[in-house]
Amino acid sequence: MNGPYKQLKSQKDIQIFSRDNGKDGQSVLGIGTIPFNIDKITEILLDEKQRTNFDDMLEKGTIINQYDPMTFQIYITFKRFLILSPRDFVMCGAFVKFDDGTYVFPTYSIDHPDYPEVKNYIRVLLHIGGWVLKPIDDNNTLCYYYNRADMKGTIPDFIIKQGVSKQTLLID
């Protein structure tokens, strides 16, 4: 399908866009300014235990392998959302810092022998996702969030819009 992105929501300094990719799932793009220091945001994103403090959809995150402070494999489970069954995924991610202070954090699904699909959870296929964080000044960060995922199963549009908005607004 790969049509144009449609704006789903604009809230505060954040805009959320979505695109239906047909059988390959949804693409989501969030763009906004976060009134925090880029290093503090990075610290929070790297700590899966802190995420439960601001993401009420997250059930748990378990680091599988930590190759260095900025590169890891993680298993994540998400709670049931409205009528949507719980989801899980295994992904690999790495933070890369550039000379201008910008961080790029790409993530994607992987298979891991110690984390097979689990009964009562639907395994998400994250084709690609992640963050680009660019410092504006010492206390403000420009944030881009993107993911292209197949959530598996038939999901009504109203749930996609609510879930996408809820997850993307985590950048605020």
Side-chain angles (χ1 to χ4, degrees), residues 62-67 72-76 89-91 110 112 114-115:
T62 303
I63 296 290
I64 301 168
N65 290 308
Q66 183 91 36
Y67 300 104
F72 56 88
Q73 294 175 328
I74 188 169
Y75 173 69
I76 296 178
F89 63 93
V90 181
M91 72 175 194
I110 60 169
H112 194 284
D114 295 340
Y115 289 86

Side-chain angles (χ1 to χ4, degrees), residues 88-156:
D88 73 345
F89 63 93
V90 181
M91 72 175 194
C92 186
F95 266 91
V96 179
K97 187 173 184 180
F98 291 89
D99 291 340
D100 69 351
T102 297
Y103 284 94
V104 176
F105 178 38
T107 58
Y108 56 91
S109 284
I110 60 169
D111 292 322
H112 194 284
D114 295 340
Y115 289 86
E117 292 189 30
V118 179
K119 185 179 179 182
N120 298 325
Y121 286 86
I122 296 174
R123 180 66 46 100
V124 173
L125 174 59
L126 179 63
H127 298 289
I128 185 116
W131 305 79
V132 175
L133 304 170
K134 185 170 182 63
I136 297 171
D137 57 38
D138 288 343
N139 297 310
N140 293 284
T141 302
L142 180 60
C143 177
Y144 296 88
Y145 169 80
Y146 175 80
N147 86 39
R148 181 175 180 158
D150 182 352
M151 298 295 289
K152 307 287 176 109
T154 304
I155 303 171

Side-chain angles (χ1 to χ4, degrees), residues 44-73:
I44 290 168
L45 289 174
L46 282 168
D47 184 351
E48 80 284 355
K49 291 176 179 67
Q50 283 195 50
R51 185 166 174 173
T52 57
N53 294 330
F54 60 87
D55 184 353
D56 61 0
M57 292 173 68
L58 179 71
E59 190 171 64
K60 73 176 180 181
T62 303
I63 296 290
I64 301 168
N65 290 308
Q66 183 91 36
Y67 300 104
D68 60 49
M70 307 286 267
T71 310
F72 56 88
Q73 294 175 328

